[in-house]
Amino acid sequence: MDSVLNSMIEKDEKILWSGKGDLMSTIMHTIGFIAIFVAIGSLLYFVFGNFEGGTCRIMGKIRPVEECNALFRNISLIFFGIAALIPILTYFGFKATEYAISDKRFILKSGMIGADIRSVYYDQIRSVYVVVGLVGKIFGTGTIKIDTGRTKSYKRNNRSVTHYDKISNIKNPYEVYKILQNNISESKENIESNNNDISNDKNDCFLGSQCPNLLLDSTFFAPICMAWKQYR
């Protein structure tokens, strides 16, 4: 496990799984993105950038067709440039990204320049999904999407979209999903158990009629009730 991730682990914390994205799966996804941008760039350059004779419209104004050809070719260069940058960005992103799952939380390390760490404790997680595409079926990989309730809002159409934390392109995604799901279930059970204990303590105080009713209205004062009960 990465030294930066290792330094984030607490003394009583146990790592259940750690890993990175699968290299071959990442390469195939990268090739797919490159192919899309190259295809769009080629269409703009060789088709829309090669009209002959006549005029065209640019932002509502009639212009010679040569100006339109030049515009489409310039736009195509942007797509070719992005296609050239994709493998470089993917390489550094792949090297920097690592995941870990402990008995307390999910940890994500990313960042191409510095180390960015994000921790998600299990009581923050709403749901977990596994996504396996065509490349994933071929290489036995998949992406786990973790919903913590974070959303991204768009003012234009007054719409919000769920922002997922992701464990991308990993081997054996369903096994990793089981580890996450088991820990989420245990966390929820522990919370429910603690809530029941507090509720029982409050009821005991009430039945003992030694604790003012005002204290019973808040879980904050439940320990006081317990102490009072033991004292009496």
Side-chain angles (χ1 to χ4, degrees):
M1 189 167 62
D2 185 271
S3 60
V4 177
L5 263 183
N6 206 28
S7 66
M8 297 295 298
I9 304 305
E10 300 171 6
K11 289 183 179 180
D12 60 341
E13 191 171 10
K14 182 181 178 182
I15 296 297
L16 306 176
W17 177 88
S18 65
K20 295 173 65 71
D22 178 66
L23 179 60
M24 286 304 300
S25 179
T26 302
I27 290 173
M28 292 304 297
H29 279 102
T30 303
I31 291 173
F33 282 116
I34 292 172
I36 291 171
F37 280 93
V38 169
I40 296 172
S42 299
L43 183 67
L44 291 170
Y45 190 92
F46 295 107
V47 178
F48 292 98
N50 276 305
F51 289 119
E52 296 181 1
T55 59
C56 63
R57 285 183 179 272
I58 301 177
M59 299 183 68
K61 295 181 179 181
I62 298 175
R63 299 290 186 183
V65 73
E66 289 77 14
E67 290 188 19
C68 290
N69 290 343
L71 177 63
F72 283 119
R73 288 178 180 179
N74 288 336
I75 295 173
S76 72
L77 295 179
I78 296 174
F79 282 90
F80 290 138
I82 294 173
L85 285 174
I86 286 174
I88 299 172
L89 297 175
T90 300
Y91 170 75
F92 286 107
F94 179 81
K95 278 194 72 176
T97 303
E98 190 170 354
Y99 314 99
I101 297 173
S102 76
D103 55 349
K104 294 183 177 182
R105 55 183 170 158
F106 156 68
I107 310 171
L108 164 64
K109 184 183 84 73
S110 60
M112 288 183 285
I113 299 175
D116 300 330
I117 302 291
R118 174 167 168 75
S119 294
V120 180
Y121 286 85
Y122 294 124
D123 59 352
Q124 298 175 278
I125 298 176
R126 293 185 176 184
S127 55
V128 181
Y129 308 91
V130 180
V131 179
V132 177
L134 178 61
V135 174
K137 287 183 178 180
I138 296 172
F139 293 98
T141 61
T143 294
I144 298 175
K145 300 171 73 174
I146 301 170
D147 179 12
T148 59
R150 290 196 299 162
T151 58
K152 185 175 182 180
S153 300
Y154 296 90
K155 293 182 179 179
R156 285 187 177 180
N157 49 13
N158 197 23
R159 184 171 64 97
S160 61
V161 178
T162 302
H163 183 81
Y164 295 99
D165 292 292
K166 295 181 181 180
I167 308 177
S168 301
N169 300 326
I170 57 168
K171 284 282 189 181
N172 305 315
Y174 293 108
E175 293 182 12
V176 179
Y177 168 83
K178 287 180 182 178
I179 295 172
L180 269 175
Q181 198 62 55
N182 288 338
N183 280 279
I184 292 168
S185 298
E186 288 179 8
S187 175
K188 290 181 178 179
E189 288 174 2
N190 290 336
I191 292 172
E192 290 176 0
S193 176
N194 291 337
N195 289 339
N196 289 335
D197 290 342
I198 291 173
S199 177
N200 291 335
D201 291 336
K202 288 168 65 178
N203 290 336
D204 289 343
C205 286
F206 179 76
L207 292 173
S209 66
Q210 298 295 325
C211 215
N213 288 335
L214 179 63
L215 299 182
L216 297 176
D217 293 333
S218 173
T219 57
F220 177 79
F221 289 105
I224 299 175
C225 292
M226 292 174 60
W228 181 268
K229 181 183 176 183
Q230 291 176 356
Y231 175 76
R232 70 179 178 82

